[in-house]
Amino acid sequence: MEDGTVERARPRDRILETAQDMFHKHGIKGVGIDAITEAAGTNKMTLYRHFDSKDDLIIQCLRATACKAGAMWEKFETEHPGDKLAQLHAWVRIAADMLRADGRGCDMANAAVELSETDHPARRVIKELKEAQRDRLVTLCRDAGIGQAELLADTLSLLLEGARVSVQSVGTEGPSAQFVRMAEGLIVSFRGTAAG
Amino acid sequence: MEDGTVERARPRDRILETAQDMFHKHGIKGVGIDAITEAAGTNKMTLYRHFDSKDDLIIQCLRATACKAGAMWEKFETEHPGDKLAQLHAWVRIAADMLRADGRGCDMANAAVELSETDHPARRVIKELKEAQRDRLVTLCRDAGIGQAELLADTLSLLLEGARVSVQSVGTEGPSAQFVRMAEGLIVSFRGTAAG
DNA sequence: TCGTGACGTTACAGACCGGTAACACCATAG
DNA sequence: CTATGGTGTTACCGGTCTGTAACGTCACGA
């Protein structure tokens, strides 16, 4: 038991991984259950034995993606232990790298756009995960000695969110190309007015 | 001829108006042709006599929406003739009002998220319209005497784009609530460093 | 050896989708 | 009166979608 080879994980894990990737690339409404199961090397029945519905799969995918993103935050701490300001700059750098490399936006934001029904079960999950994401950035800003930590965190959040959407509209050469300059300028500006 | 009553415009106009509204509220992939024609008080055949395909309808809707947005810019000029800085502040105020009232983001950005196929015919239209939008804001910033006009315009663009997405994820009480404070702060900051 | 549970296969239901064909209607212009 | 063009109606095509039923297979553990 428990061989857990990388190339042949359990069906549930393969489905989750494949669905995350395909939802990210093609959008939630742009990919069907059949396409996911085929790409995951399994079948529809097995998917529905592990997930109640497509909506359930969507939610599990969002949680899994958020979990991966959470791992990145731990890397900030290990690479710059104790230096919160360096971690904030690392956040900016990682964000800029994603902008350049990815071409698609944040999975949660994209899902919120696609799932316009106000009572869709995924919406509360999106809100929950996005708020947790915000709290972490606020805490980082505060620990980095920024006076108006909430305002800087929210501004950086909106800038990144906007940049990730802008990339999808006008590409990487558009306004998002200036993201690092904007973010670094804001950090400098907020550090200047720090209320220690 | 040309009675053009408001309550009973020509079918093509009714379809275009209804489609814009429904695409905006429910998303492009969330609305079918049948639903549009029924809401517009007409039928599918009439729609396909005026539009080549759903993709064509999407594109015409995007252009119509952009045209309406263009009318807003003329209002800036009539309400603050010659005073470009006042027009810039008016832009911020209008943007904030939309954030509070609308709940759904920019139609072009939403469409870019939904239509992930890189060769979708609407994508070049989205890019074209978004670039025109950016050019107008850059020009306004420059005419308002801002030194780094492009950088301010791009920053404001990303902030608004991000705010409109954030509203869909976490609602109007999230980071977008600080939009005015952020935008006004940026304008002040950029005016301070103006290179006349 | 036998049972059990996870997984695969096929087929299907029921709904919706975008798009088209054929035909009926009706106001207006000539 | 008649011709014409815009419109409405019905029915349909082929495809795709989520989700389910029934059955077969296979590994593993008791």
Side-chain angles (χ1 to χ4, degrees):
Chain A
M1 65 187 78
E2 291 273 350
D3 58 12
T5 54
V6 177
E7 59 178 354
R8 203 103 261 254
R10 310 291 295 274
R12 199 196 118 97
D13 297 329
R14 270 152 42 205
I15 291 171
L16 207 53
E17 204 71 24
T18 307
Q20 280 178 73
D21 183 56
M22 297 186 74
F23 283 155
H24 178 75
K25 284 181 187 160
H26 312 299
I28 290 173
K29 298 200 181 182
V31 51
I33 296 294
D34 290 302
I36 294 173
T37 55
E38 187 186 343
T42 177
N43 55 77
K44 195 151 50 170
M45 275 312 301
T46 301
L47 186 149
Y48 279 107
R49 287 191 189 105
H50 288 289
F51 304 93
D52 294 342
S53 61
K54 185 180 181 181
D55 286 347
D56 182 35
L57 176 62
I58 292 167
I59 291 174
Q60 302 307 325
C61 283
L62 290 175
R63 292 203 182 280
T65 302
C67 191
K68 287 181 186 173
M72 224 162 41
W73 284 78
E74 296 173 10
K75 226 178 70 175
F76 293 158
E77 180 60 40
T78 63
E79 289 187 351
H80 306 278
D83 188 346
K84 298 296 181 181
L85 188 60
Q87 291 180 33
L88 185 56
H89 285 110
W91 180 90
V92 172
R93 189 176 45 75
I94 292 286
D97 289 347
M98 284 194 313
L99 284 176
R100 233 172 287 115
D102 188 20
R104 285 281 291 176
C106 165
D107 288 342
M108 294 172 235
N110 289 354
V113 170
E114 283 200 85
L115 309 176
S116 52
E117 310 97 312
T118 51
D119 61 339
H120 193 287
R123 293 197 73 86
R124 59 180 307 279
V125 178
I126 293 170
K127 187 171 182 183
E128 168 198 328
L129 295 175
K130 271 288 179 191
E131 283 172 350
Q133 206 173 67
R134 173 184 183 267
D135 289 344
R136 254 191 306 221
L137 189 58
V138 168
T139 301
L140 180 57
C141 286
R142 193 178 349 254
D143 293 347
I146 306 290
Q148 294 180 287
E150 291 88 353
L151 190 56
L152 176 59
D154 285 347
T155 308
L156 291 175
S157 289
L158 293 192
L159 266 186
L160 177 57
E161 203 88 89
R164 297 194 77 173
V165 170
S166 173
V167 165
Q168 301 182 69
S169 300
V170 297
T172 53
E173 306 301 316
S176 70
Q178 305 297 325
F179 173 77
V180 170
R181 196 187 315 237
M182 300 171 187
E184 295 293 347
L186 278 167
I187 294 174
V188 167
S189 172
F190 272 74
R191 268 170 54 84
T193 65
Chain B
M1 68 186 76
E2 290 275 351
D3 57 10
T5 54
V6 179
E7 59 180 353
R8 204 103 263 251
R10 310 290 294 275
R12 199 195 117 97
D13 298 328
R14 270 152 41 207
I15 291 171
L16 207 53
E17 203 72 24
T18 307
Q20 280 179 73
D21 182 56
M22 297 186 73
F23 284 154
H24 178 75
K25 284 180 186 160
H26 312 298
I28 290 174
K29 299 203 179 179
V31 174
I33 296 293
D34 291 302
I36 294 173
T37 55
E38 187 187 343
T42 178
N43 56 77
K44 198 151 48 170
M45 273 314 299
T46 300
L47 186 147
Y48 279 106
R49 286 192 190 103
H50 289 287
F51 303 94
D52 294 341
S53 61
K54 185 181 182 181
D55 286 347
D56 182 34
L57 177 61
I58 292 168
I59 291 173
Q60 301 308 326
C61 282
L62 290 174
R63 292 203 183 278
T65 303
C67 191
K68 287 181 186 172
M72 225 162 40
W73 284 78
E74 296 174 7
K75 228 179 66 175
F76 293 159
E77 180 60 38
T78 63
E79 289 186 352
H80 307 279
D83 188 346
K84 298 297 183 181
L85 188 60
Q87 291 180 32
L88 185 56
H89 285 108
W91 181 91
V92 172
R93 189 177 44 77
I94 292 286
D97 288 348
M98 283 195 313
L99 284 177
R100 234 172 286 114
D102 188 19
R104 285 279 290 176
C106 166
D107 288 342
M108 295 172 236
N110 289 353
V113 170
E114 282 199 84
L115 309 176
S116 53
E117 309 97 311
T118 51
D119 61 339
H120 193 288
R123 293 198 72 87
R124 60 181 306 277
V125 178
I126 293 169
K127 186 172 181 182
E128 168 197 328
L129 296 175
K130 271 288 177 191
E131 282 171 350
Q133 208 173 66
R134 172 184 183 268
D135 288 345
R136 256 191 306 222
L137 190 57
V138 168
T139 301
L140 181 56
C141 287
R142 188 172 2 245
D143 292 348
I146 307 291
Q148 296 180 286
E150 291 87 354
L151 190 56
L152 176 59
D154 285 347
T155 308
L156 292 175
S157 289
L158 294 193
L159 266 186
L160 177 56
E161 202 88 88
R164 298 193 77 173
V165 171
S166 173
V167 165
Q168 301 183 69
S169 301
V170 298
T172 53
E173 307 301 316
S176 71
Q178 306 297 325
F179 173 78
V180 171
R181 195 186 315 239
M182 300 171 187
E184 294 294 346
L186 279 167
I187 293 174
V188 168
S189 172
F190 272 74
R191 267 169 55 85
T193 65

